[in-house]
Amino acid sequence: MANIVPGPSDALIVVDVQRDFLPGGALGVAHGDEVVAPLNAAMGAFERAGRPVFASRDWHTPDHCSFKARGGPWPPHCVANTPGARFAEGLQLPPSAIVVSKAESADADSYSAFGGTDLALQLERKGVKRVFVGGLATDYCVLNTVLDALTAGFEVVVLGDAVRAVEVSPGDGARAIAKMEQAGARLQAS
Ligand SMILES: [Zn+2]
């Protein structure tokens, strides 16, 4: 059960909970599947409160600049309209969820759900002042989404039990959490 009681100026941002980022996926995050249950509970709480749920997704071209073939750091992942780009099986997005696709053009990458999207504008239009953030991965897309949200002036709560890290270097996840807290985000269990 979710502990969150969303207020009238709250929104939830579910970051990149896509099949390629789950164990067994093209860029699988260890224990990435464990974010699904707490996020389902959180999404239910926001849905019941009539508050918006945003779900970001990597939505790349087959020749995306972040892929190794083009000199990027990652194996091919989340190519638009492929099974790996789909949201995780079992992720219960409410019908009203707003999907935010990012890094759609071949030559631009964005870890942040705010990068090159109209997410900030959509949040402002819905009167959002505080965002709750969970998803994948702590040390990349969650980190950058949270930092951009803070820069854009939103209050940010990171759902500590609903994020998991890639950990290219051991400790990256903990360092990302520390960085988010130093920047002003609050850490809370869902
Ligand atoms: Zn990507």
Side-chain angles (χ1 to χ4, degrees), residues 68-113:
K68 282 181 176 152
R70 288 201 52 202
W74 307 117
H77 63 276
C78 298
V79 173
N81 299 307
T82 63
R86 286 187 201 143
F87 289 114
E89 220 168 333
L91 189 71
Q92 291 157 6
L93 287 179
S96 60
I98 300 153
V99 174
V100 177
S101 299
K102 63 183 174 69
E104 291 179 282
S105 91
D107 297 317
D109 197 15
S110 176
Y111 293 141
S112 166

Side-chain angles (χ1 to χ4, degrees), residues 13-17 32 35 39 133-138 142 159 162-165:
I13 305 175
V14 174
V15 177
D16 295 15
V17 184
V35 307
L39 286 174
V133 182
L136 302 170
T138 314
V142 170
L159 299 175
V163 295
R164 292 294 182 278

Side-chain angles (χ1 to χ4, degrees), residues 58 60 66 77 109:
D58 252 2
H60 296 322
S66 73
H77 63 276
D109 197 15

Side-chain angles (χ1 to χ4, degrees), residues 112-138:
S112 166
F114 290 88
T117 72
D118 66 351
L119 178 56
L121 188 66
Q122 292 209 60
L123 289 167
E124 278 160 27
R125 281 192 183 140
K126 291 182 182 297
V128 174
K129 305 226 179 313
R130 180 171 65 168
V131 293
F132 290 71
V133 182
L136 302 170
T138 314

